[in-house]
Amino acid sequence: MANDVLHELAQVLESRKSAPAESSYVAGLYAKGLDAILKKVGEEATETVMAAKDGVPEKLVYEVADLWFHTLVLLAHQGLAPDDVLAELARRMGLSGLEEKARRGQGA
């Protein structure tokens, strides 16, 4: 189910790239460019942190959904897809965090 949601959302986000800016929130965000998208990702990350500090699970889930959404917008804007991130997470499976960080330092 989660993969289906990500793929469906990715398709919608991709379709918004060619839509007129005034036709949707995402089309408008794309039209404003990378800096506007990055600003939204930063705002949503901050709101996620604040929600976690509040300790209200429903609020945290809501804010993480906003963060994920805007991150997906960023990925699409950069020509990437959820599968690119999922492949990277799959690559890291079975590695300890320390081992993975050490490999990054070696150019892997």
Side-chain angles (χ1 to χ4, degrees), residues 9-106:
L9 183 54
Q11 288 175 342
V12 169
L13 295 176
E14 195 62 34
S15 74
R16 296 297 194 266
K17 286 181 175 181
S18 59
E22 64 279 356
S23 69
S24 77
Y25 169 76
V26 172
L29 199 51
Y30 285 142
K32 291 177 185 174
L34 180 60
D35 286 345
I37 296 168
L38 293 173
K39 182 178 177 185
K40 281 306 295 180
V41 170
E43 288 172 7
E44 298 304 340
T46 299
E47 290 172 7
T48 298
V49 169
M50 291 170 30
K53 296 281 283 177
D54 288 346
V56 179
E58 296 82 6
K59 189 173 179 183
L60 179 57
V61 168
Y62 182 88
E63 294 301 342
V64 169
D66 279 352
L67 177 58
W68 285 13
F69 177 83
H70 286 91
T71 302
L72 289 169
V73 171
L74 173 61
L75 286 172
H77 186 267
Q78 299 288 357
L80 298 166
D83 282 343
D84 296 309
V85 177
L86 293 172
E88 175 60 17
L89 290 172
R91 184 191 68 78
R92 295 181 187 186
M93 290 293 291
L95 294 177
S96 76
L98 295 175
E99 182 182 3
E100 196 281 325
K101 280 184 96 171
R103 285 185 179 188
R104 265 191 273 161
Q106 297 171 357

